Every structure is written in structure tokens, then in C-alpha cells.
Amino acid sequence: MSEDFNMSMRKFLKQVGVTSQQAIEKAIREGDTAGKTLPVQAVISIPELGFTHTVDGTITAPDAEQE
């Protein structure tokens, strides 16, 4: 793959990671989540290509005193 492609892919994935972490942390702080293990799903799509990639996992929220 080309260097331009690799750079644009890395830039996009970095943006996804950073913004997603910030949004998840905010939701955890604002929710009643202390100590809970929460299912999480990330979906990335490229509609023009008919491409969808889904990743499922879990996130364990910190205990109330650790927040």
C-alpha cells in the first residue's frame, strides 16, 4: 500500500482511538457504572465500499472511590 494510504489510515485510527476514549470516559463518569462490567461495541464502516467492521468487547468501570 502507498505511504499516503498508510498515513491517512493511521491518522484516522488515532482519531478514532482518542475521541472514543474521551467519549467513553465521559459516559462512565456521568453514568451509574461504578464497578460494572459493560458490553461495548465499535463499528467502523465505509458506506461507499459496503464495508462494515464490528468489534465487541467489555469495559470494566472503576469503583466509585477510584473515579
Side-chain angles (χ1 to χ4, degrees):
M1 296 282 167
S2 74
E3 186 64 27
D4 288 342
F5 171 76
N6 286 332
M7 290 301 290
S8 65
M9 174 75 78
R10 288 174 185 262
K11 182 178 179 180
F12 172 74
L13 291 174
K14 182 177 180 179
Q15 182 180 6
V16 168
V18 170
T19 59
S20 296
Q21 182 175 351
Q22 291 169 343
I24 291 167
E25 288 174 349
K26 182 177 188 269
I28 294 290
R29 280 193 306 274
E30 294 175 354
D32 180 23
T33 61
K36 293 182 181 176
T37 298
L38 307 163
V40 63
Q41 183 178 73
V43 180
I44 294 179
S45 64
I46 306 173
E48 188 173 321
L49 300 177
F51 171 83
T52 302
H53 177 71
T54 304
V55 178
D56 294 299
T58 58
I59 294 175
T60 302
D63 292 332
E65 64 271 4
Q66 292 178 346
E67 295 177 3

